[in-house]
Amino acid sequence: MLLLGATLSAAPAAGSDAGQVSAAVSVGTVVSASGRLRVEVLSPMTPLRRGVQVFQVRVTDAASGKPVSGVVLSVQPWMPAMGHGVSDVPRVTARAPGTFEVSDMDLFMPGAWELRFTLKGTVEDSAAVTLKLGR
């Protein structure tokens, strides 16, 4: 079984667009496996529907609520009911400390999807946010 993810460090590239997902609303928030981090997924599209997605991901300290800098974020979309992920690697772009944009993520089937996050760098942790997509 081949699982693909996307990885990028939390430092924006020189000359990169500093814009963020506009008019985004929270579609899922979890505390990480260690309990030290809070991972929130925001989307400009609600209700969520199948197809190519753009999400903003915020990683904050669970206790203080402050953004966590120096994080390398990996994301692996997974559909538990079907036992598969996606074949294309989503694009991850750092926007600010603890803030990422995940784009080009084709969640091609309606139903429950997990966004499985791995965080490395100044912290090592994992989290999974479950999303329900309509047709």
Side-chain angles (χ1 to χ4, degrees):
M1 175 183 327
L2 176 64
L3 303 175
L4 300 175
T7 304
L8 185 78
S9 67
S16 68
D17 177 13
Q20 296 188 12
V21 176
S22 61
V25 296
S26 183
V27 293
T29 303
V30 296
V31 174
S32 67
S34 73
R36 293 177 22 207
L37 303 175
R38 181 174 173 259
V39 177
E40 180 179 25
V41 177
L42 299 101
S43 175
M45 177 177 57
T46 55
L48 295 175
R49 300 199 186 289
R50 70 183 176 99
V52 178
Q53 308 292 323
V54 175
F55 294 114
Q56 182 180 33
V57 179
R58 293 184 187 154
V59 179
T60 56
D61 181 275
S64 70
K66 293 181 181 179
V68 178
S69 61
V71 173
V72 175
L73 178 73
S74 299
V75 59
Q76 179 182 68
W78 187 255
M79 191 171 208
M82 302 304 287
H84 65 71
V86 299
S87 58
D88 294 328
V89 177
R91 183 182 332 179
V92 178
T93 306
R95 295 297 185 193
T99 301
F100 301 86
E101 181 180 280
V102 178
S103 59
D104 300 333
M105 184 182 331
D106 189 5
L107 304 180
F108 52 87
M109 295 178 71
W113 284 85
E114 289 180 356
L115 300 184
R116 297 177 175 178
F117 295 102
T118 301
L119 302 110
K120 294 187 178 184
T122 56
V123 296
E124 299 232 354
D125 214 336
S126 63
V129 175
T130 301
L131 305 174
K132 176 81 172 158
L133 276 68
R135 296 189 177 267

